[in-house]
Protein backbone atom coordinates (compact mmCIF):
# COMPACT_ATOMS: atom_id res chain seq x y z
CA UNK A 1 0.00 0.00 0.00
CA UNK A 2 1.36 3.41 -0.94
CA UNK A 3 2.29 5.75 1.85
CA UNK A 4 1.79 9.49 1.97
CA UNK A 5 3.27 11.05 -1.14
CA UNK A 6 4.31 14.65 -1.54
CA UNK A 7 5.37 16.66 -4.56
CA UNK A 8 7.56 18.28 -5.56
CA UNK A 9 10.49 16.95 -3.57
CA UNK A 10 12.36 20.20 -3.98
CA UNK A 11 11.18 23.63 -5.05
CA UNK A 12 13.19 26.80 -5.51
CA UNK A 13 11.41 30.13 -5.68
CA UNK A 14 12.30 33.79 -5.32
CA UNK A 15 10.86 36.28 -2.85
CA UNK A 16 7.37 37.41 -3.72
CA UNK A 17 6.53 34.36 -5.80
CA UNK A 18 3.93 31.74 -4.94
CA UNK A 19 4.55 28.08 -4.13
CA UNK A 20 2.13 25.17 -4.35
CA UNK A 21 2.86 21.90 -2.60
CA UNK A 22 0.81 18.75 -3.00
CA UNK A 23 0.03 15.78 -0.80
CA UNK A 24 -1.72 12.48 -1.39
CA UNK A 25 -2.78 10.71 1.80
CA UNK A 26 -2.85 7.01 2.43
CA UNK A 27 -5.90 5.39 0.86
CA UNK A 28 -8.79 5.52 3.31
CA UNK A 29 -7.40 8.43 5.31
CA UNK A 30 -9.62 11.48 5.41
CA UNK A 31 -7.46 13.86 7.45
CA UNK A 32 -4.46 15.75 6.17
CA UNK A 33 -2.14 17.85 8.33
CA UNK A 34 0.51 20.26 7.12
CA UNK A 35 3.60 21.11 9.17
CA UNK A 36 6.55 23.39 8.58
CA UNK A 37 9.92 22.08 9.72
CA UNK A 38 12.39 24.92 9.75
CA UNK A 39 15.95 24.34 10.87
CA UNK A 40 16.15 24.00 14.63
CA UNK A 41 12.49 24.82 15.20
CA UNK A 42 10.86 21.40 15.16
CA UNK A 43 7.49 20.95 13.54
CA UNK A 44 5.17 23.93 13.48
CA UNK A 45 1.52 23.14 12.85
CA UNK A 46 0.11 24.84 9.78
CA UNK A 47 -3.26 23.39 8.79
CA UNK A 48 -5.59 20.47 9.37
CA UNK A 49 -8.15 19.31 6.80
CA UNK A 50 -10.73 16.63 7.32
CA UNK A 51 -13.47 15.56 4.93
CA UNK A 52 -12.76 18.51 2.68
CA UNK A 53 -13.04 21.16 5.39
CA UNK A 54 -10.37 23.23 7.10
CA UNK A 55 -10.71 22.18 10.75
CA UNK A 56 -7.89 24.10 12.34
CA UNK A 57 -4.93 26.29 11.51
CA UNK A 58 -1.78 27.23 13.34
CA UNK A 59 -0.26 30.65 14.01
CA UNK A 60 0.73 31.44 10.45
CA UNK A 61 -0.26 34.46 8.33
CA UNK A 62 -3.12 34.19 5.82
CA UNK A 63 -0.71 33.91 2.91
CA UNK A 64 -0.41 30.27 3.99
CA UNK A 65 -3.55 28.57 2.72
CA UNK A 66 -4.65 25.32 1.28
CA UNK A 67 -7.48 23.05 0.42
CA UNK A 68 -8.52 19.44 0.42
CA UNK A 69 -10.04 17.85 -2.64
CA UNK A 70 -12.90 15.31 -2.81
CA UNK A 71 -10.34 12.50 -3.14
CA UNK A 72 -8.78 13.75 0.15
CA UNK A 73 -5.57 14.91 -1.49
CA UNK A 74 -4.47 18.35 -0.44
CA UNK A 75 -2.42 21.27 -1.56
CA UNK A 76 -0.66 23.96 0.42
CA UNK A 77 -0.25 27.39 -1.13
CA UNK A 78 2.22 29.96 0.11
CA UNK A 79 1.81 33.41 -1.41
CA UNK A 80 4.21 36.35 -1.39
CA UNK A 81 7.12 34.13 -0.41
CA UNK A 82 9.60 35.41 2.14
CA UNK A 83 13.11 34.16 2.83
CA UNK A 84 12.04 32.71 6.18
CA UNK A 85 9.53 30.46 4.43
CA UNK A 86 12.46 28.27 3.41
CA UNK A 87 11.81 24.97 5.19
CA UNK A 88 10.77 21.38 4.81
CA UNK A 89 7.00 21.13 4.53
CA UNK A 90 5.64 17.88 5.84
CA UNK A 91 2.24 16.43 5.14
CA UNK A 92 0.70 13.76 7.34
CA UNK A 93 -2.51 11.81 7.05
CA UNK A 94 -4.66 9.95 9.51
CA UNK A 95 -8.01 8.25 9.80
CA UNK A 96 -9.43 11.52 11.08
CA UNK A 97 -12.27 11.14 13.52
CA UNK A 98 -12.19 7.36 13.03
CA UNK A 99 -8.74 7.13 14.58
CA UNK A 100 -8.27 5.35 17.87
CA UNK A 101 -4.71 6.44 18.53
CA UNK A 102 -4.19 9.60 16.52
CA UNK A 103 -1.24 8.10 14.67
CA UNK A 104 -0.02 10.40 11.93
CA UNK A 105 1.58 8.97 8.78
CA UNK A 106 4.08 11.37 7.31
CA UNK A 107 5.34 11.92 3.80
CA UNK A 108 8.99 12.63 3.10
CA UNK A 109 8.34 16.32 2.69
CA UNK A 110 8.81 19.06 0.14
CA UNK A 111 11.92 21.19 0.56
CA UNK A 112 11.12 24.81 -0.31
CA UNK A 113 14.00 27.20 -0.81
CA UNK A 114 13.27 30.89 -1.20
CA UNK A 115 16.07 32.98 -2.69
CA UNK B 1 -0.28 23.13 24.37
CA UNK B 2 2.32 24.57 22.08
CA UNK B 3 5.28 24.33 24.44
CA UNK B 4 6.82 20.92 24.03
CA UNK B 5 10.50 20.97 24.88
CA UNK B 6 13.32 18.58 24.25
CA UNK B 7 17.06 18.78 24.47
CA UNK B 8 18.61 19.07 21.03
CA UNK B 9 21.37 16.47 21.12
CA UNK B 10 22.26 13.18 22.77
CA UNK B 11 25.34 11.10 22.12
CA UNK B 12 25.75 7.53 23.37
CA UNK B 13 27.95 4.53 22.66
CA UNK B 14 26.61 1.47 20.88
CA UNK B 15 25.21 -1.00 23.41
CA UNK B 16 24.45 1.65 26.03
CA UNK B 17 20.95 2.81 26.95
CA UNK B 18 19.66 6.12 25.61
CA UNK B 19 17.18 8.26 27.46
CA UNK B 20 15.46 11.06 25.58
CA UNK B 21 13.42 13.49 27.64
CA UNK B 22 10.50 15.75 26.85
CA UNK B 23 8.42 18.20 28.84
CA UNK B 24 5.03 19.50 27.84
CA UNK B 25 2.66 22.09 29.26
CA UNK B 26 -0.87 20.92 28.48
CA UNK B 27 -2.16 18.88 31.41
CA UNK B 28 -5.22 17.88 29.37
CA UNK B 29 -3.14 15.99 26.82
CA UNK B 30 -4.64 12.58 26.25
CA UNK B 31 -2.07 10.93 24.00
CA UNK B 32 1.68 11.40 23.93
CA UNK B 33 3.89 10.09 21.16
CA UNK B 34 7.43 9.40 20.15
CA UNK B 35 8.26 9.72 16.46
CA UNK B 36 11.55 8.91 14.73
CA UNK B 37 12.90 10.79 11.73
CA UNK B 38 15.75 9.26 9.79
CA UNK B 39 17.79 11.40 7.36
CA UNK B 40 15.82 12.32 4.26
CA UNK B 41 12.66 10.67 5.51
CA UNK B 42 9.40 11.71 7.10
CA UNK B 43 8.52 11.01 10.70
CA UNK B 44 7.50 7.52 11.71
CA UNK B 45 5.57 6.65 14.86
CA UNK B 46 7.65 4.63 17.30
CA UNK B 47 5.26 4.34 20.19
CA UNK B 48 2.56 6.21 22.06
CA UNK B 49 1.15 6.27 25.57
CA UNK B 50 -2.28 7.16 26.81
CA UNK B 51 -2.38 9.71 29.61
CA UNK B 52 -3.79 7.28 32.18
CA UNK B 53 -0.68 5.11 31.89
CA UNK B 54 2.64 5.56 33.69
CA UNK B 55 4.73 3.24 31.61
CA UNK B 56 4.68 1.34 28.36
CA UNK B 57 7.25 -1.17 27.17
CA UNK B 58 7.70 -2.35 23.62
CA UNK B 59 10.78 -4.52 22.99
CA UNK B 60 13.80 -2.21 23.42
CA UNK B 61 11.64 0.85 24.00
CA UNK B 62 10.33 2.00 27.38
CA UNK B 63 8.14 5.08 27.69
CA UNK B 64 7.69 6.71 31.10
CA UNK B 65 5.05 9.34 31.76
CA UNK B 66 5.03 11.57 34.82
CA UNK B 67 1.79 13.51 34.56
CA UNK B 68 2.43 15.53 37.69
CA UNK B 69 5.64 16.96 36.25
CA UNK B 70 4.40 16.79 32.62
CA UNK B 71 7.48 14.81 31.73
CA UNK B 72 7.77 12.10 29.10
CA UNK B 73 10.83 9.99 28.44
CA UNK B 74 11.88 7.39 25.92
CA UNK B 75 14.46 4.82 26.90
CA UNK B 76 16.14 2.78 24.17
CA UNK B 77 17.93 -0.27 25.53
CA UNK B 78 21.04 -1.66 23.81
CA UNK B 79 21.23 1.31 21.45
CA UNK B 80 22.42 0.45 17.95
CA UNK B 81 23.95 2.62 15.22
CA UNK B 82 20.68 2.22 13.31
CA UNK B 83 18.95 4.10 16.10
CA UNK B 84 20.78 7.28 15.08
CA UNK B 85 18.01 9.67 14.08
CA UNK B 86 16.00 12.62 15.34
CA UNK B 87 13.36 11.75 17.91
CA UNK B 88 10.30 13.92 18.36
CA UNK B 89 7.84 13.84 21.19
CA UNK B 90 4.31 15.01 20.48
CA UNK B 91 1.09 15.46 22.36
CA UNK B 92 -2.56 15.97 21.59
CA UNK B 93 -5.74 16.54 23.52
CA UNK B 94 -8.39 15.50 21.03
CA UNK B 95 -6.56 14.76 17.76
CA UNK B 96 -7.41 18.31 16.74
CA UNK B 97 -3.88 19.64 16.92
CA UNK B 98 -0.71 17.72 17.51
CA UNK B 99 2.14 19.65 19.13
CA UNK B 100 5.65 18.49 18.46
CA UNK B 101 8.88 19.20 20.24
CA UNK B 102 11.92 20.48 18.39
CA UNK B 103 13.44 17.01 18.20
CA UNK B 104 16.45 15.36 19.85
CA UNK B 105 19.22 14.26 17.55
CA UNK B 106 20.56 10.93 18.80
CA UNK B 107 24.09 10.08 17.72
CA UNK B 108 25.21 6.50 18.39
CA UNK B 109 28.95 6.01 18.33
CA UNK B 110 30.31 2.55 17.42
Amino acid sequence: EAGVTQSPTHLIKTRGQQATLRCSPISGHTSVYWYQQALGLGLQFLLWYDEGEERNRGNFPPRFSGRQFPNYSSELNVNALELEDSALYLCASSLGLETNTGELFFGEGSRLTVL
Amino acid sequence: GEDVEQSLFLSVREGDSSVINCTYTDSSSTYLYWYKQEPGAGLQLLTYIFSNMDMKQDQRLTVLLNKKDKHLSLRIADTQTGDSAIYFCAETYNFNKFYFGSGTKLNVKP
Side-chain angles (χ1 to χ4, degrees):
Chain A
E1 183 182 312
V4 176
T5 57
Q6 293 187 242
S7 63
T9 307
H10 293 88
L11 188 60
I12 299 175
K13 294 283 187 178
T14 55
R15 270 189 306 175
Q17 285 189 313
Q18 184 212 29
T20 298
L21 309 177
R22 294 179 180 83
C23 172
S24 291
I26 289 173
S27 177
H29 285 191
T30 61
S31 271
V32 169
Y33 300 79
W34 285 96
Y35 283 87
Q36 182 194 66
Q37 187 180 17
L39 200 61
L41 291 180
L43 275 70
Q44 304 297 314
F45 170 70
L46 275 162
L47 290 158
W48 171 38
Y49 292 96
D50 183 69
E51 296 282 1
E53 299 284 331
E54 182 181 301
R55 303 294 184 182
N56 211 337
R57 68 178 289 130
N59 296 326
F60 280 83
R63 57 192 187 82
F64 287 84
S65 65
R67 53 181 171 164
Q68 187 179 33
F69 299 98
N71 66 354
Y72 303 116
S73 68
S74 176
E75 67 180 29
L76 173 70
N77 295 295
V78 188
N79 294 318
L81 284 165
E82 301 179 3
L83 295 178
E84 53 265 32
D85 297 333
S86 294
L88 182 69
Y89 288 83
L90 291 168
C91 169
S93 73
S94 80
L95 289 167
L97 299 177
E98 300 297 317
T99 185
N100 293 320
T101 65
E103 180 177 0
L104 300 181
F105 295 81
F106 282 84
E108 295 185 358
S110 294
R111 172 77 60 188
L112 172 63
T113 301
V114 183
L115 303 175
Chain B
E2 297 191 36
D3 292 327
V4 181
E5 295 187 355
Q6 302 177 237
S7 53
L8 290 180
F9 299 101
L10 177 65
S11 185
V12 300
R13 292 213 171 272
E14 192 172 21
D16 288 350
S17 291
S18 307
V19 179
I20 303 171
N21 295 302
C22 171
T23 57
Y24 60 98
T25 57
D26 191 347
S27 58
S28 61
S29 295
T30 51
Y31 281 92
L32 297 113
Y33 307 86
W34 284 104
Y35 282 84
K36 178 182 180 183
Q37 185 181 35
E38 299 191 44
L43 281 70
Q44 188 169 23
L45 181 68
L46 272 181
T47 186
Y48 67 92
I49 188 167
F50 189 55
S51 59
N52 68 352
M53 299 168 66
D54 298 324
M55 185 182 88
K56 181 179 181 181
Q57 188 148 8
D58 184 2
Q59 299 182 334
R60 291 191 297 123
L61 305 178
T62 304
V63 178
L64 295 177
L65 175 60
N66 181 329
K67 282 197 71 175
K68 175 175 167 290
D69 295 336
K70 301 189 190 66
H71 184 264
L72 182 73
S73 68
L74 173 70
R75 179 178 181 269
I76 305 173
D78 186 26
T79 313
Q80 303 297 305
T81 54
D83 294 324
S84 293
I86 302 176
Y87 292 81
F88 291 88
C89 67
E91 54 97 358
T92 187
Y93 166 61
N94 59 359
F95 307 143
N96 186 328
K97 276 187 187 179
F98 293 81
Y99 292 102
F100 285 78
S102 55
T104 299
K105 187 171 184 178
L106 174 64
N107 179 41
V108 182
K109 294 178 280 190

